[in-house]
Amino acid sequence: MKKIIFCLGLLLLGPALSADSFAPYQRGDILLGGAVKWAFPGLGTDWGEVNVDQQTLDIAHDAKLGTMSAGAELQALYFVSAHVALGASVGTEFFSQDHASGLEKDVSTHISNYMLAGRVYLTPASPWRFYIPLALGVANTHITVDMEPNVLFKYTGFATHAGLGVEHAVSEHWLVGGEVRYNTNRFHDSRYTTRHEKVYVYPRANYISFVVRAARRF
């Protein structure tokens, strides 16, 4: 919470710090940034749950990915015009262990993303630059379910995200901003427990996330 308040404070102080330093993006600009991110898994496989089928016992459950996640991301973008930037990002996110109601098992999830990233700026000449973040690539997803002992389900598959972002300059070269994203991560895997029971986890690990970012313009 302290980190969130600090970053929001930077955003509010932005106009005072950068009133004379704002310059619109232009072709050839490079933006390098780092971010922290978090997500609150919700109900349903489109919002932060996975299906967990104990096929040997013919029992089906669903389970959240875990508790609120913590993560980080690095991103590099090249501006092909004032409106469009293209590049790449790598990130990781960890949903710590949570007791899944219904399934009555502890579940945690770790997701690493390797993405081609882009932004489409809606207000490129404004001090407050709103944009649409887009990305596609692959996600390496590990879901651990405590089946006494733990069973690790893992899958590397297609991943995307899209959302809405805003950024503001706090000096000639430095910017801060934030994003809200919808993340899509395909997932399916089956394993056997030590009791030789087959368990199938599927079909996706999707969720809404929040991002706070600092970046340097070159």
Side-chain angles (χ1 to χ4, degrees), residues 108 141-145 149-154 187 189-191:
S108 63
T141 304
H142 288 189
I143 297 176
T144 302
V145 182
N150 288 344
V151 179
L152 174 62
F153 301 85
K154 53 187 178 180
F187 184 86
D189 190 21
S190 61
R191 303 279 167 166

Side-chain angles (χ1 to χ4, degrees), residues 5 122 141 143 175 199 213 217:
I5 294 172
L122 307 176
T141 304
I143 297 176
L175 307 100
V199 181
R213 183 187 313 281
R217 176 182 178 179

Side-chain angles (χ1 to χ4, degrees), residues 55-197:
Q55 294 182 329
T56 304
L57 302 177
D58 195 24
I59 300 174
H61 302 285
D62 44 49
K64 289 185 179 180
L65 300 174
T67 60
M68 183 185 77
S69 70
E73 180 181 272
L74 296 175
Q75 188 177 78
L77 296 172
Y78 175 83
F79 282 80
V80 297
S81 73
H83 289 268
V84 178
L86 302 174
S89 69
V90 295
T92 186
E93 197 146 13
F94 181 71
F95 295 82
S96 58
Q97 192 175 77
D98 190 22
H99 192 68
S101 59
L103 179 62
E104 299 301 328
K105 307 289 185 182
D106 289 332
V107 179
S108 63
T109 302
H110 180 217
I111 301 176
S112 297
N113 287 308
Y114 309 90
M115 316 285 277
L116 297 175
R119 294 184 188 178
V120 178
Y121 279 82
L122 307 176
T123 56
S126 170
W128 290 95
R129 302 170 214 180
F130 288 89
Y131 61 88
I132 298 172
L134 301 166
L136 61 88
V138 296
N140 184 9
T141 304
H142 288 189
I143 297 176
T144 302
V145 182
D146 183 6
M147 308 296 289
E148 299 174 352
N150 288 344
V151 179
L152 174 62
F153 301 85
K154 53 187 178 180
Y155 181 76
T156 299
F158 182 68
T160 67
H161 74 241
L164 180 64
V166 62
E167 67 179 12
H168 191 82
V170 295
S171 71
E172 182 180 358
H173 296 289
W174 288 95
L175 307 100
V176 295
E179 297 176 11
V180 178
R181 298 174 177 172
Y182 181 72
N183 304 268
T184 299
N185 303 280
R186 301 298 298 175
F187 184 86
H188 62 85
D189 190 21
S190 61
R191 303 279 167 166
Y192 284 90
T193 70
T194 56
R195 294 181 295 276
H196 307 290
E197 298 168 355

